[in-house]
């Protein structure tokens, strides 16, 4: 039976037919800004905290110590990257809205300017709660699962090579997409919220738990995993590329400065 819900390929065809191939890159500037803030902050804090917690006898960090590194890096990344996250969600969602309700941000910088000018400085903190939850879940599911899987492969005799990094990051993408999907759905719903001025319905102040309960009550548990396939298609290549480059840079750094 048809559920009337758009599938990923249907959505892609609709975007291309309406705005052309370049429509698939709506929000690219916001996505790049997000990676330059959110991802960089997470990697920097995670590695710094792990280095501070490193045991003098060379034994691996305990689970509790990894959790501390995860929490600190996730919170930092969530706070630093939240404005870009809002822009990313809004710019990608714009084409799905009626023309009268579109924000029409030209790029990330223009979007930041318009947000602060029309909604106030507090608009940069919209959806911060779900962003922090999502950032912490993402850091735990991506970094910890990657570290654990990589360590297990190395203990089994595999050489520390690109193949190991690829396999560990590929598997980490599966874990991260599944773990983060509910938080992604909730975060997107909160950040896309718009004041319906003409109807008198005010949705400007969105309560996270009310939104979560509404999704569960009206759409069921499966609604929290909407968009899993496009999320994985986006996240998996990103993680593979990111971790492979990260490992190359890390080895180069230690080779020259340690």
């Amino acid at each position: 039976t048809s559920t009337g819900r758009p599938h990923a390929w249907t959505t892609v065809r609709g975007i291309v037919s309406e705005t052309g191939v370049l429509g698939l890159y709506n929000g690219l500037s916001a996505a790049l800004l997000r990676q330059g803030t959110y991802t960089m902050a997470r990697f920097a804090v995670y590695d710094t905290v792990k280095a501070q917690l490193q045991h003098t006898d060379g034994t691996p960090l305990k689970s509790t110590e990894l959790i501390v590194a995860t929490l600190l890096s996730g919170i930092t990344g969530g706070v630093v990257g939240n404005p870009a996250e809002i822009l990313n969600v809004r710019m990608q969602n714009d084409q799905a809205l009626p023309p009268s309700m579109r924000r029409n941000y030209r790029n990330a910088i223009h979007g930041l300017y318009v947000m602060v000018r029309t909604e106030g400085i507090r608009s940069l903190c919209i959806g911060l709660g779900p962003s922090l939850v999502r950032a912490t879940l993402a850091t735990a599911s991506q970094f910890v699962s990657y570290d654990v899987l990589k360590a297990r492969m190395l203990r089994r005799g595999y050489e520390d090579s690109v193949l190991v990094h690829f396999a560990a990051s590929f598997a980490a993408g599966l874990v991260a997409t599944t773990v983060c999907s509910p938080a992604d759905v909730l975060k997107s719903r909160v950040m896309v919220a718009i004041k319906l001025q003409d109807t008198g319905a005010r949705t400007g102040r969105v309560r996270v738990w009310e939104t979560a309960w509404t999704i569960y009550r009206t759409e069921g548990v499966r609604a929290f995993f909407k968009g899993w396939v496009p999320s994985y298609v986006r996240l998996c290549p990103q993680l593979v590329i990111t971790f492979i480059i990260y490992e190359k840079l890390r080895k180069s750094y230690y080779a020259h400065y340690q």
Side-chain angles (χ1 to χ4, degrees):
T1 58
S2 176
T3 62
R5 296 171 181 169
H7 296 287
W9 180 242
T10 305
T11 303
V12 169
R13 288 195 302 174
I15 293 172
V16 172
S17 64
E18 181 179 347
T19 61
V21 175
L22 292 179
L24 297 174
Y25 293 90
N26 282 339
L28 178 60
S29 61
L32 293 174
L33 178 62
R34 177 181 178 274
Q35 293 304 321
T37 53
Y38 166 76
T39 302
M40 184 173 65
R42 284 194 309 149
F43 268 97
V45 174
Y46 185 71
D47 270 0
T48 300
V49 175
K50 282 205 310 178
Q52 293 297 319
L53 297 175
Q54 201 70 44
H55 301 164
T56 55
D57 59 1
T59 56
L61 294 178
K62 299 177 182 177
S63 298
T64 52
E65 293 167 329
L66 288 176
I67 290 173
V68 170
T70 295
L71 288 173
L72 291 176
S73 59
I75 291 172
T76 303
V79 172
V80 172
N82 196 66
E85 186 72 50
I86 299 170
L87 290 171
N88 194 32
V89 171
R90 288 183 173 185
M91 292 177 73
Q92 291 181 355
N93 185 68
D94 233 21
Q95 294 301 319
L97 298 174
S100 61
M101 300 180 74
R102 293 176 184 175
R103 294 179 171 89
N104 296 316
Y105 298 151
R106 293 194 293 270
N107 51 56
I109 303 303
H110 176 252
L112 284 173
Y113 171 75
V114 172
M115 278 177 58
V116 173
R117 182 171 58 85
T118 60
E119 302 175 55
I121 194 72
R122 294 181 63 183
S123 65
L124 300 179
C125 297
I126 292 173
L128 181 58
S131 283
L132 292 178
V133 172
R134 199 267 179 192
T136 304
L137 291 174
T139 306
S141 55
Q142 294 172 13
F143 290 18
V144 177
S145 61
Y146 175 82
D147 282 345
V148 170
L149 291 168
K150 175 187 167 186
R152 288 189 176 182
M153 293 182 73
L154 294 179
R155 283 200 301 269
R156 293 189 176 184
Y158 290 95
E159 182 183 353
D160 190 3
S161 63
V162 173
L163 180 61
V164 168
H165 306 155
F166 176 87
S169 56
F170 188 89
L174 286 170
V175 175
T177 304
T178 304
V179 170
C180 294
S181 185
D184 273 334
V185 171
L186 187 57
K187 170 177 62 68
S188 297
R189 297 286 182 96
V190 171
M191 289 181 174
V192 171
I194 296 176
K195 291 183 178 179
L196 303 177
Q197 298 173 348
D198 296 335
T199 64
R202 296 179 64 84
T203 60
R205 184 176 178 83
V206 182
R207 291 183 173 84
V208 174
W209 298 114
E210 287 181 4
T211 304
W213 173 247
T214 300
I215 294 173
Y216 171 74
R217 181 167 49 84
T218 59
E219 303 174 58
V221 174
R222 292 182 63 183
F224 289 102
F225 295 91
K226 281 183 178 178
W228 189 96
V229 172
S231 291
Y232 180 71
V233 170
R234 175 189 65 84
L235 182 62
C236 185
Q238 175 188 319
L239 278 185
V240 169
I241 294 170
T242 298
F243 276 116
I244 289 177
I245 294 176
Y246 161 76
E247 292 285 1
K248 291 292 184 183
L249 292 174
R250 188 176 65 86
K251 287 182 177 180
S252 177
Y253 172 83
Y254 280 113
H256 287 84
Y257 299 104
Q258 297 293 323

